[in-house]
Amino acid sequence: MKPATAAQSSSHSLVAILILVSLLVLGGTGGVVFYALSGLASRTNQIDNELTGQAARAALRAMEQRVRDINSEFSRSDNLSAPHRGVSLFERRVADLCAGARFGVNFDLFLLVSDQMRNLVGCIDGKRVRSPPNELMGRALAPIIRDVAATYKRNTQRSGFMLTKVGIAAVSVGPAWWSIAEFGNGVPNLLVIGKRLDDSMVKRMGRDFSITGLKLATDTKAVNAAAAIREPDGRIIGGLAWSPRQPGDIALGQFLPTVYANFMFLTVAFAGMVAAVWISFRAVQDSNRQSAHAAVHDALTGLANRAALVSTLESLAGKGQEEAAVIYIDLDGFKEINDFYGHEMGDRLLKGFAAGLAMLVGSKGLVARVGGDEFVILVIGNRVERTALSLASSAISLSSEPLRVDAHDLKVAASVGVAIAKPQDLAGEELLRRADIAMYDAKRKGGCAIAVYSGAIDAELKRRLQMADDIRAGLKAGEFWIACQPIVRAGDLKPVAMEVLARWTRADGTTVDPRDFISVAEEHGIIDELGKFVLEEACTAAKRNRTLRFNVNISALQMRSLAFLDLVDNAIIQNGLSTDQLQIEMTESRLLLDGSILMSVVEGLKTRGIRLILDDFGTGYASIAYLRQFQFDAIKLDKTICAEVGKSVNSLTMAQGMVLVAKAAGLEVVAEGIETKEQANLLKLAGCTFFQGYLFGPPQAAPQAGQIYPQRLPTG
């Protein structure tokens, strides 16, 4: 028994040793594993923080470069259109700079400074300032002024961040060549352009560069050196701070339960431990790859995001002589699909369009999603304009193809802007801005079109921005008025209604085409104020002429809110009108597709007894379904159709067909644009109920109480 006992004891000892060794190995391995995972998580956090710091520095560089570009643009004297009579180039340039500072999009302060540090003229947020430059801009300005003034013949420009009276700002200083003629000493004064690093700018930088919780830190002792903001002499005046995302800790927290479960198996089999460690390491690595992928890709579509696009553009600067083409695509009608079908359907449309766009571009360029329904294609190469225009055209064709989602065929259109330049000539953000401006130009001209950036587009944008300001000022100054054109009954040519038309005569006596100022009012959100003025003036005229109805043209943009019904109620009540005196004309437009809110407003108007007229019928958008859906009381045959009646049998037949459709739907028909008796006779035979046009009276000032208008009517 002793040998057996000894053998058993030896076996037990061996087992104990093996268990002890296994426990030591497992414990040591476990310690190593947990230490490695913690270190990997910590390193992942560090790398993510370093990448965020690089993005923050890139954001500051982009901001500084933007003010340099703006300074360069405004420093020359040869890029301004001919000034108005009596206005010097200097005055025009100062006015433009003040307007730009008031808009605050790319800069919000400027000074014109002499080399002796005297403030010649300046604006902050569009308001003139007279304070000394040192007092406004701080101590960092004077050395830069001296440096630029000493070398102005070389078009020297200096920039940097400064602690100014209004906060930290990116500032650029350069010679203002257009100031020579004004002061007559042959030496240009110095143009100081600045953009404040305020909360809105910091939020914009955080959004553009995908930095969570980005904010401005003013405690210089606590500023992270990776994103410190320094004045040109190296003094730290602030910095950028952000909320660390800690992807490593998140990943570690996600995978620790898996590691614990694997180590339970390792107590039974050492091989299981090895496998579990390997799986754990692989999982952490996958998490890192996913984090890196998410930093530069759009979560919904899988395309590159804005940060990746800007980074790519910046990396091209100064490399080779190849051109870069930025193709900016915006989906027209996407908001209507979102409103009508819901965001889930909208997301599926975006994913489908993104997949098609990626397949369309292939290896020709980079495709990115930079906004809700905005996409960008970046193409690099020699003479890329042809490729860019071809891709732009293909993108429009792709957008117009119906996308089948469940039981719905979703269809949108696209507006496309194209900008082309050599990367070393422009900052990446500027090239992207130009393509964006071109896209809005294509959208403004009706959408489903391509626009290539040019200086004229920028100039037109500035003109329309200025016109928007002029409209606001004109409404306050009483420059707007209404004209009325009679609508007569076809049977006896008796006036039964007046169409109210908005008119604008500036203080200097010049008139502005309504097609121009109404489109600007719609673009810049002034249409509600302008429409309110026209509606109230129409109701005032109706109060003086209770035997006539008054037709008011209403933009569908005004009818996207139920507040429009309150506006109508107030105007009617204040003038003591009956609702049947007021008629609303809605232009035949794609805006009729807007959905439930517009339908609610239409139903509210009908409930009040206000008649609805579909204007410009026959221009291409409306259908019989619209006539039923929106419960119109009458239609207006577009003047382009009426003008052709009498010239060809086909035109008359077409007009007769439209009248028959309207009569079948129980609608009255107004023929507008009537200029000859022949047109009136033919359209009367075709079944038109009412006439409007110069034959019966041109648009004139609103008639006074009791006035017969028009006073003479055609006979025969």
Coordinates of all heavy atoms in Angstrom, one line a residue, residues 9 29 52 135 143 145 189 279 313 315 332 374 390 409-410 436 442 527 530 565 610 628 634 706 714:
S9 N 0.2 10.0 -3.7 CA 0.6 11.3 -3.2 C 1.4 12.1 -4.2 O 1.2 13.3 -4.3 CB 1.4 11.1 -1.9 OG 2.0 12.3 -1.4
T29 N -1.2 35.4 -16.9 CA -1.7 35.8 -18.2 C -2.9 36.8 -18.1 O -3.0 37.7 -18.9 CB -2.2 34.5 -19.0 OG1 -1.1 33.6 -19.0 CG2 -2.6 34.8 -20.4
T52 N -8.2 64.6 -32.5 CA -9.1 65.7 -32.3 C -8.3 67.0 -32.2 O -8.7 68.1 -32.8 CB -9.9 65.5 -31.0 OG1 -10.6 64.3 -31.1 CG2 -10.9 66.6 -30.8
E135 N -6.2 100.3 -29.3 CA -7.3 100.1 -28.3 C -8.3 99.0 -28.7 O -8.7 98.2 -27.9 CB -8.0 101.4 -28.1 CG -9.2 101.3 -27.1 CD -9.9 102.6 -26.9 OE1 -9.3 103.6 -27.1 OE2 -11.1 102.5 -26.6
P143 N 3.1 95.6 -34.2 CA 4.3 95.0 -34.9 C 3.9 94.5 -36.3 O 4.7 94.6 -37.3 CB 4.7 93.8 -34.0 CG 4.1 94.2 -32.7 CD 2.9 95.0 -32.9
I145 N 1.6 95.8 -38.3 CA 1.4 97.0 -39.1 C 2.8 97.5 -39.6 O 3.0 97.8 -40.8 CB 0.7 98.1 -38.4 CG1 -0.8 97.7 -38.1 CG2 0.7 99.4 -39.1 CD1 -1.6 97.6 -39.3
N189 N -2.8 102.6 -47.7 CA -3.0 102.3 -46.3 C -3.2 100.8 -46.1 O -3.2 100.0 -47.0 CB -4.2 103.1 -45.7 CG -3.9 104.6 -45.8 OD1 -3.1 105.1 -44.9 ND2 -4.4 105.3 -46.7
I279 N -9.1 36.3 -29.2 CA -10.4 36.9 -29.6 C -10.6 38.3 -29.0 O -11.1 39.3 -29.7 CB -11.6 36.0 -29.2 CG1 -11.6 34.7 -30.0 CG2 -12.9 36.7 -29.4 CD1 -12.6 33.7 -29.5
L313 N -8.9 67.8 -49.2 CA -8.6 69.0 -50.0 C -7.4 69.8 -49.4 O -6.6 70.3 -50.2 CB -9.9 70.0 -49.9 CG -11.0 69.6 -50.8 CD1 -12.3 70.5 -50.4 CD2 -10.7 69.8 -52.3
S315 N -4.9 68.4 -47.9 CA -3.7 67.6 -48.2 C -3.2 67.8 -49.6 O -2.1 67.5 -49.9 CB -4.0 66.1 -48.0 OG -4.9 65.6 -48.9
D332 N -33.5 68.5 -54.7 CA -34.7 69.4 -54.7 C -35.9 68.5 -54.4 O -36.0 67.4 -55.0 CB -34.9 70.0 -56.1 CG -33.7 70.9 -56.4 OD1 -33.0 71.4 -55.5 OD2 -33.4 71.0 -57.6
E374 N -27.3 66.9 -49.0 CA -26.2 67.5 -49.8 C -25.0 66.5 -49.9 O -24.6 66.0 -48.9 CB -25.7 68.8 -49.2 CG -26.8 69.9 -49.2 CD -26.3 71.2 -48.5 OE1 -25.3 71.1 -47.8 OE2 -27.0 72.2 -48.6
S390 N -19.6 66.0 -66.8 CA -20.2 64.7 -67.2 C -20.8 64.0 -65.9 O -22.0 63.5 -65.9 CB -19.2 63.8 -67.8 OG -19.8 62.5 -68.0
D409 N -43.1 55.1 -55.2 CA -42.0 55.5 -56.2 C -41.6 57.0 -55.8 O -42.3 57.9 -56.1 CB -42.5 55.5 -57.6 CG -42.6 54.1 -58.1 OD1 -41.8 53.2 -57.7 OD2 -43.6 53.8 -58.9
L410 N -40.5 57.1 -55.1 CA -40.0 58.4 -54.7 C -39.2 59.0 -55.8 O -38.3 58.4 -56.3 CB -39.2 58.2 -53.4 CG -39.8 57.5 -52.2 CD1 -38.9 57.5 -51.0 CD2 -41.2 58.2 -51.9
D436 N -20.7 75.4 -53.5 CA -21.9 75.6 -52.8 C -22.7 76.8 -53.4 O -23.9 76.7 -53.6 CB -21.6 75.8 -51.3 CG -22.9 75.7 -50.5 OD1 -23.9 75.3 -51.0 OD2 -22.8 76.1 -49.3
A442 N -27.9 77.4 -59.3 CA -28.6 76.5 -60.1 C -30.0 76.3 -59.5 O -31.0 76.2 -60.2 CB -27.9 75.1 -60.2
I527 N -40.8 87.2 -47.7 CA -42.1 87.1 -48.4 C -43.2 87.3 -47.5 O -44.3 87.8 -47.9 CB -42.1 85.8 -49.3 CG1 -43.3 85.8 -50.2 CG2 -42.2 84.6 -48.3 CD1 -43.2 86.9 -51.3
L530 N -43.7 91.0 -46.9 CA -44.2 91.7 -48.2 C -45.6 91.2 -48.5 O -46.5 92.1 -48.8 CB -43.3 91.3 -49.3 CG -43.6 91.8 -50.7 CD1 -43.7 93.4 -50.7 CD2 -42.7 91.3 -51.8
L565 N -53.6 82.0 -41.8 CA -55.0 82.1 -41.6 C -55.3 83.3 -40.6 O -56.3 84.0 -40.8 CB -55.6 80.8 -41.0 CG -55.6 79.6 -42.0 CD1 -56.1 78.4 -41.3 CD2 -56.3 79.9 -43.3
I610 N -63.6 82.0 -48.5 CA -62.7 82.7 -49.4 C -62.4 81.9 -50.6 O -62.1 80.7 -50.5 CB -61.4 83.1 -48.7 CG1 -61.6 84.0 -47.5 CG2 -60.4 83.7 -49.7 CD1 -60.4 84.3 -46.7
R628 N -58.9 69.0 -58.0 CA -59.8 68.4 -57.1 C -59.2 68.5 -55.7 O -59.9 68.8 -54.7 CB -59.9 66.9 -57.4 CG -60.7 66.7 -58.8 CD -60.6 65.2 -59.1 NE -61.3 65.0 -60.4 CZ -61.3 63.8 -61.1 NH1 -60.6 62.8 -60.6 NH2 -61.9 63.7 -62.2
A634 N -61.8 78.6 -59.4 CA -61.5 79.1 -60.8 C -60.1 78.9 -61.1 O -59.2 78.6 -60.3 CB -61.9 80.6 -60.9
G706 N -65.8 104.6 -54.9 CA -66.7 105.0 -55.9 C -66.2 105.2 -57.3 O -66.9 105.5 -58.3
P714 N -63.6 98.5 -74.3 CA -63.7 98.2 -75.7 C -65.1 97.8 -76.1 O -65.8 97.2 -75.3 CB -62.7 97.1 -76.0 CG -62.6 96.4 -74.7 CD -62.7 97.5 -73.6

